[in-house]
């Protein structure tokens, strides 16, 4: 029988449709095999994190690394965009501690409960790190690594200035010592988050807080306490450095990287510098290179002590940073993701991150481990763990981003900071921002 | 005797015959119905993608609402508008936006018109010249922003070297005035070709007979330009200015790339972006976006009024 062309075309169309529909259905349905957990990481320590993802994958699930942008602001924005849309593919995420209250308050983090909660936050976790993962009596993230700041300096410089570094030093002493030797003091005073880190540490070091710790989690109703003696003491330190000869040339735009080069200048006595824990590995790995210690003897000249005191006699509160692991509330594999979170934050994982990447642990047992004892000087490890244990977190608020921007807008430029007016003006502005009566 | 003859009266214009009322056939009605059905999905889709976000923004602007504190969400009526309109920052950013719009559109109009004249009168290599002039418009704004940021950089840029009255280490992005100049230079470079393209279309529509007649009457080049060419291009100029002014009013990319709003160089779009995307303040951010929308309407209205052009005439409709 002769087949009419139209009939043949129809058969072809039907066959093509069936094939296409089959393909689409297969694509939608997945292979029904073991799930893949997406872990969004910031770009620090990628090699070890990739290894951890592989090691912590099991017969039940695979962990796949997804890279976030390098800037903390962009990381927060990208994760928030996904989570605000209820993205079910965000299983695990590396979170800067300041994002945790915001994300937890928005309901984007799945809290750890029961045995898992006991596992991620036991007595071994240092106090400063433990505080960063709790929100309204729930454990909403697992601490993975901790960052803190110490005072880095040249031993020869301190000696020449006659500054005894075996006892706690104050900001005033450090600034005077640097100025007396034509040296400088490196800080982070650009208009960005790290400047708020400095201001917060100065205020807490004087026994105060930006927001009342009792009400800080109350969001818009939090009590603003920056206009206080502690706020004035903090402003006085900033003013003192701005007015002294110890301020670096790029003081108002300085960041974590800009002051590194002043420790080993071609000419000059070096510097005092408050900075994060990465500094040690940075200099240790740059002996003989531009910007680094010219030789091993110069590296031996690098000293470290606890963060300076704002007020003489009152213990300093070093800044706390690091990374915590959150589990997305909309993940389709919450249980697996939380299990994976405990694995990538385990003592073994923290040891690898510290030894390979210089990302310091949040657990005391890891600081005491033989691997770290081999990789770092004993007194430096003790200083780090002590600083993380007794450091001070930034305000734990669902409005942290606004609080930080409000502080930056009234405390920058550091050369304009005045103890008599800046704390008061910033308190008024902060109140207006929290109550939605002003624009940032 | 002369006989006065009645001058012939001009014939009355014939009354326009009204076309007989068309009786809509059943087939015609069916076609209309089918057309409506075919167009309906597109209209629904358009409403979803345009009207819905606008209405949603209007609704959200009545709330105090932070994405990170959903429990604090509270109806505050017009309070967000009052906050925005009474805040110094809003007016400072609006001022920046208007300044950028006025300066860039003025320079783009002058330079763009010169380019249009060149392109219009070219006899040879017309394609090459036109393409060369239009190249900047093909560059993505973010890329152009980065290119100009590098150009103005005091470390590796060439602008300081080219300008004899500027020191080699002058930092263009350290203060307000020079930052704004850099932003506007980038904007002008990028969009002047667009302006010249629209003006070229206007130039092409002017009858050569009119220009020839003016020449015969002894009009100079300037007289021909100001008495013949420009008045006849009013519609095209208005369209060009309107398009570019509205485009300039929502300036974002160049500021984002070059200064990130530092030194008070923020525009109103950038302020809105920061409230919504960086601060997660959906309430006040929505209020700002509504205000931005309304101000764009005002700008469009003012430009149409200033040029006193009937848009139907400009399109040469009867």
């Amino acid at each position: 029988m002769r087949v009419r062309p139209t009939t043949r075309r129809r058969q072809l169309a039907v066959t093509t449709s069936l094939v296409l529909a089959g393909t689409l259905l297969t694509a939608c349905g997945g292979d029904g095999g073991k799930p893949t957990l997406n872990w969004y990481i910031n770009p620090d320590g990628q090699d070890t994190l990739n290894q951890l993802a592989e090691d912590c994958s099991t017969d039940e699930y695979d962990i796949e690394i997804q890279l976030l942008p390098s800037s903390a602001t962009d990381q927060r924005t990208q994760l928030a965009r996904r989570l605000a849309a209820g993205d079910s593919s965000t299983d695990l995420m590396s979170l800067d501690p300041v994002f945790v209250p915001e994300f937890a308050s928005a309901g984007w983090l799945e809290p750890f409960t029961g045995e898992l909660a006991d596992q991620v936050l036991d007595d071994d976790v240092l106090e400063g790190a433990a505080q960063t993962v709790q929100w309204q009596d729930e454990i909403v993230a697992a601490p993975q690594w901790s960052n803190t700041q110490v005072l880095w300096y040249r031993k020869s410089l301190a000696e020449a200035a006659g500054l005894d570094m075996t006892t706690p030093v104050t900001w005033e002493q450090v600034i005077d010592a640097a100025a007396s030797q034509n040296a400088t003091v490196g800080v982070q005073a650009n208009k960005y988050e790290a400047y708020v880190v400095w201001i917060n540490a100065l205020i807490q070091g004087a026994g105060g807080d930006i927001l009342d710790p009792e009400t800080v989690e109350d969001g818009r109703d939090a009590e603003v306490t920056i206009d206080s003696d502690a706020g004035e003491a903090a402003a006085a330190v900033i003013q003192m450095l701005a007015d002294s000869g110890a301020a670096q040339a790029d003081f108002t735009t300085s960041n974590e990287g800009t002051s590194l080069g002043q420790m080993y200048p071609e000419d000059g006595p070096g510097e005092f510098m408050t900075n994060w824990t990465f500094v040690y590995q940075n200099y240790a790995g740059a002996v003989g290179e531009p910007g680094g210690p010219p030789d091993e003897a110069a590296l031996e000249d690098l000293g470290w002590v606890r963060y300076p005191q704002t007020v003489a006699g009152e213990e300093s509160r070093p800044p706390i940073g690091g990374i915590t692991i959150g589990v997305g509330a909309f993940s389709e594999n919450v249980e697996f993701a939380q299990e994976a979170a405990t694995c990538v934050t385990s003592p073994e994982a923290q040891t690898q991150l510290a030894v390979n990447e210089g990302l310091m642990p949040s657990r005391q047992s890891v600081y005491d481990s033989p691997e770290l004892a081999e990789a770092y000087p004993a007194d430096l490890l003790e200083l780090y763990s002590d600083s993380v244990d007794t450091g001070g977190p930034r305000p734990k608020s669902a409005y942290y981003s606004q609080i930080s921007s409000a502080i930056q807008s009234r405390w920058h430029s550091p050369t304009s900071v005045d103890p008599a007016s800046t704390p008061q003006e910033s308190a008024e502005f902060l109140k207006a921002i929290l109550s939605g009566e002003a624009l940032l | 005797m002369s006989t006065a003859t009645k001058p012939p009266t001009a014939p009355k214009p014939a009354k326009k015959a009204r076309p007989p009322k068309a009786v809509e056939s059943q087939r015609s009605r069916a076609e209309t119905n089918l057309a409506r059905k075919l167009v309906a999905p597109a209209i629904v889709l358009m409403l979803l993608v345009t009207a819905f976000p606008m209405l949603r923004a209007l609704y959200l602007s009545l709330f105090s609402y932070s994405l990170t504190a959903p429990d604090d969400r509270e109806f505050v009526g017009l309070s967000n508008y009052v906050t925005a309109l009474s805040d110094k920052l809003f007016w400072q950013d609006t001022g920046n936006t208007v300044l950028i719009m006025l300066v860039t559109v003025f320079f783009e109009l002058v330079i763009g018109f010169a380019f249009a004249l060149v392109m219009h009168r070219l006899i040879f290599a017309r394609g090459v010249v036109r393409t060369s002039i239009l190249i900047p418009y093909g560059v993505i704004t973010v890329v152009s922003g980065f290119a100009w940021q590098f150009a103005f950089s005091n470390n590796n840029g060439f602008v300081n070297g080219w300008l004899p009255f500027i020191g080699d280490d002058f930092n263009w992005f350290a203060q307000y005035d020079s930052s704004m100049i850099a932003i506007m230079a980038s904007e002008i470079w990028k969009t002047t070709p667009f302006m010249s393209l629209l003006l070229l279309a206007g130039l092409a529509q002017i009858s050569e007979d009119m220009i020839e007649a003016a020449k015969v009457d002894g009009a100079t080049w300037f007289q021909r330009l100001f008495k013949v060419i420009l008045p006849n291009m009013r519609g095209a100029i208005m369209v060009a200015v309107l398009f570019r002014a509205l485009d300039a009013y929502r300036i974002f990319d160049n500021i984002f790339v070059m200064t990130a709003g530092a030194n008070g160089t923020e525009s109103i779009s950038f302020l809105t972006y920061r409230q919504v995307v960086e601060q997660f303040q959906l309430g006040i951010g929505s209020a700002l976006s509504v205000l931005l929308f309304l101000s764009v309407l005002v700008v469009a209205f003012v430009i149409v009024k200033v040029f006193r052009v009937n848009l139907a005439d400009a399109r040469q409709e009867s």
Side-chain angles (χ1 to χ4, degrees):
Chain A
M1 188 181 81
R2 182 172 173 266
V3 181
R4 285 189 304 168
T6 47
T7 312
R8 195 177 288 159
R9 273 206 295 273
R10 193 170 295 160
Q11 282 172 347
L12 184 68
V14 169
T15 313
T16 312
S17 305
L18 285 173
V19 170
L20 274 175
T23 313
L24 285 172
L25 284 172
T26 310
C28 292
D31 58 4
K34 63 178 180 178
T36 298
L37 306 179
N38 288 305
W39 177 14
Y40 285 86
I41 65 160
N42 54 319
D44 292 327
Q46 284 179 55
D47 291 343
T48 303
L49 292 175
N50 275 311
Q51 188 60 48
L52 286 179
E54 201 178 315
D55 294 347
C56 288
S57 293
T58 68
D59 293 340
E60 289 178 305
Y61 55 83
D62 286 321
I63 303 173
E64 195 169 298
I65 294 277
Q66 309 289 344
L67 202 58
L68 290 169
S70 54
S71 116
T73 308
D74 293 339
Q75 290 164 17
R76 169 179 169 273
T77 307
Q78 190 179 123
L79 285 173
R81 270 208 303 260
R82 287 181 170 278
L83 293 165
D87 177 30
S88 61
S89 70
T90 305
D91 302 301
L92 293 156
M93 57 199 123
S94 296
L95 290 172
D96 190 299
V98 290
F99 306 157
V100 171
E102 284 187 320
F103 282 36
S105 166
W108 296 338
L109 298 179
E110 185 67 28
F112 291 85
T113 53
E115 275 183 31
L116 281 173
D118 296 340
Q119 211 173 328
V120 297
L121 200 56
D122 56 22
D123 293 341
D124 189 29
V125 177
L126 297 167
E127 179 57 25
Q131 281 185 35
T132 63
V133 296
Q134 297 177 68
W135 173 254
Q136 293 183 339
D137 302 325
E138 283 188 312
I139 298 161
V140 290
Q144 189 187 45
W145 60 271
S146 290
N147 215 346
T148 187
Q149 290 203 357
V150 301
L151 178 67
W152 304 93
Y153 67 101
R154 289 286 291 272
K155 291 174 186 168
S156 54
L157 166 62
E159 198 178 327
L163 192 58
D164 178 12
M165 303 303 279
T166 58
T167 57
V169 290
T170 63
W171 277 98
E172 187 177 3
Q173 287 174 316
V174 169
I175 293 167
D176 287 346
S180 72
Q181 300 301 307
N182 289 325
T184 57
V185 177
V187 291
Q188 293 86 48
N190 196 1
K191 193 177 180 183
Y192 75 138
E193 176 57 25
Y195 184 42
V196 181
V197 169
W198 186 30
I199 295 167
N200 186 59
L202 287 173
I203 293 174
Q204 291 194 328
D209 281 287
I210 292 174
L211 299 176
D212 176 15
E214 297 293 320
T215 62
V216 68
E217 294 189 15
D218 295 347
R220 293 198 187 281
D221 299 327
E223 193 186 339
V224 177
T225 53
I226 194 171
D227 183 17
S228 60
D229 291 345
E232 285 176 27
V237 169
I238 295 173
Q239 188 186 47
M240 193 189 310
L241 179 56
D243 292 345
S244 86
Q248 295 184 340
D250 61 350
F251 175 51
T252 59
T253 55
S254 56
N255 61 40
E256 286 93 338
T258 55
S259 50
L260 286 173
Q262 300 300 314
M263 189 63 81
Y264 295 102
E266 285 183 17
D267 299 307
E271 65 173 338
F272 293 92
M273 169 179 67
T274 50
N275 212 332
W276 302 98
T277 57
F278 77 97
V279 168
Y280 177 76
Q281 281 213 338
N282 178 75
Y283 288 133
V287 177
E289 290 176 16
D295 49 35
E296 286 296 332
L299 181 62
E300 289 290 314
D301 195 33
L302 181 70
W304 46 80
V305 289
R306 190 183 168 95
Y307 199 78
Q309 295 177 345
T310 311
V311 177
E314 189 150 347
E315 193 178 52
S316 64
R317 300 290 304 279
I320 297 289
I323 285 293
T324 63
I325 304 296
V327 169
F330 312 105
S331 165
E332 288 171 355
N333 303 289
V334 166
E335 284 178 22
F336 287 156
Q338 291 196 324
E339 189 184 310
T342 60
C343 179
V344 299
T345 59
S346 67
E348 295 75 26
Q350 296 195 12
T351 306
Q352 287 184 52
L353 283 166
V355 173
N356 302 341
E357 311 289 351
L359 306 174
M360 302 313 292
S362 54
R363 291 176 166 275
Q364 183 60 51
S365 63
V366 186
Y367 282 98
D368 299 334
S369 68
E371 291 91 340
L372 262 71
E374 194 180 328
Y376 295 94
D379 61 334
L380 185 58
L381 286 178
E382 193 183 335
L383 176 62
Y384 283 161
S385 66
D386 187 43
S387 295
V388 174
D389 208 25
T390 57
R394 281 160 275 173
K396 289 169 71 175
S397 169
Y399 295 88
Y400 181 74
S401 174
Q402 285 195 294
I403 293 164
S404 173
S405 299
I407 300 284
Q408 288 170 42
S409 82
R410 288 299 180 269
W411 286 65
H412 204 272
S413 159
T415 52
S416 66
V417 168
D418 180 357
S421 58
T422 307
Q424 186 204 345
E425 285 169 9
S426 62
E428 284 167 10
F429 186 54
L430 197 46
K431 281 177 198 163
I433 289 295
L434 284 175
S435 56
E437 290 164 4
L439 286 173
L440 260 177
Chain B
M1 189 177 100
S2 65
T3 310
T5 53
K6 203 178 174 186
T9 50
K12 273 189 180 174
K15 220 178 182 181
K16 265 190 183 171
R18 187 177 284 179
K21 196 176 178 184
V23 180
E24 203 173 16
S25 68
Q26 197 176 353
R27 181 179 169 177
S28 166
R29 273 204 304 276
E31 280 179 352
T32 309
N33 280 339
L34 177 65
R36 282 186 184 141
K37 281 176 191 164
L38 290 173
V39 168
I43 290 175
V44 170
L45 193 69
M46 212 171 76
L47 285 175
L48 278 175
V49 296
T50 57
F52 174 74
M54 281 157 70
L55 293 174
R56 174 91 177 144
L58 200 61
Y59 172 72
L60 284 176
S61 70
L62 305 176
F63 288 85
S64 166
Y65 180 23
S66 170
L67 201 58
T68 54
D71 296 341
D72 287 355
R73 180 168 155 160
E74 186 188 351
F75 181 80
V76 291
L78 297 176
S79 172
N80 285 328
Y81 292 95
V82 174
T83 299
L85 292 171
S86 58
D87 200 294
K88 201 174 72 178
L89 186 63
F90 175 81
W91 293 109
Q92 181 188 316
D93 291 357
T94 303
N96 283 342
T97 312
V98 171
L99 177 71
I100 291 171
M101 181 184 75
L102 292 178
V103 174
T104 58
V105 171
F106 172 77
F107 279 102
E108 286 168 17
L109 188 61
V110 174
I111 302 170
F113 190 70
F115 280 165
L117 283 176
V118 170
M119 290 194 280
H120 187 58
R121 291 289 169 213
L122 271 181
I123 296 168
F124 59 90
R126 182 178 282 201
V128 175
V129 173
R130 284 186 178 183
T131 310
S132 309
I133 288 175
L134 293 177
I135 280 176
Y137 194 60
V139 177
I140 297 161
T141 315
V142 172
V143 176
S144 131
F146 274 115
W148 279 88
Q149 190 193 33
F150 290 134
F152 278 103
S153 163
N154 57 340
N155 293 322
N156 46 19
F158 57 80
V159 172
N160 284 354
W162 281 10
L163 300 176
F165 50 90
I166 295 284
D168 281 350
D169 58 350
F170 180 70
N171 185 354
W172 286 83
F173 301 107
Q175 52 279 315
Y176 175 79
D177 297 348
S178 53
S179 298
M180 289 292 274
I181 288 173
I183 290 167
M184 289 192 281
S186 169
E187 189 74 2
I188 291 167
W189 177 83
K190 166 81 176 63
T191 41
T192 295
F194 175 69
M195 189 72 109
S196 61
L197 203 63
L198 292 179
L199 295 175
L200 178 64
L203 269 179
Q205 285 182 346
I206 295 175
S207 161
E208 283 296 325
D209 295 346
M210 279 197 292
I211 298 171
E212 282 302 319
K215 262 187 196 171
V216 170
D217 289 343
T220 63
W221 185 85
F222 275 103
Q223 284 171 326
R224 293 200 299 277
L225 178 67
F226 286 102
K227 302 282 185 189
V228 180
I229 299 176
L230 287 180
N232 280 290
M233 281 180 68
R234 212 166 63 182
I237 293 172
M238 191 213 64
V239 169
V241 168
L242 183 67
F243 278 24
R244 266 307 301 148
L246 297 184
D247 206 24
Y249 198 83
R250 56 178 182 77
I251 182 171
F252 177 82
D253 323 41
N254 272 325
I255 296 174
F256 186 84
V257 170
M258 296 174 90
T259 64
N263 308 316
T265 55
E266 201 170 66
S267 69
I268 200 75
S269 299
F270 198 88
L271 176 67
T272 309
Y273 160 82
R274 280 203 308 101
Q275 298 302 319
V276 178
V277 179
E278 281 185 8
Q279 310 288 351
F280 301 150
Q281 301 302 309
L282 300 191
I284 191 93
S286 298
L288 284 170
S289 62
V290 170
L291 289 173
L292 178 63
F293 175 72
L294 293 177
S295 51
V296 165
L297 285 186
V298 170
V299 170
F301 179 77
V302 169
I303 290 174
V304 172
K305 280 287 165 199
V306 164
F307 277 85
R308 296 193 301 272
V309 168
N310 183 331
L311 281 175
D313 288 346
R315 288 199 301 265
Q316 296 187 335
E317 288 174 4
S318 57

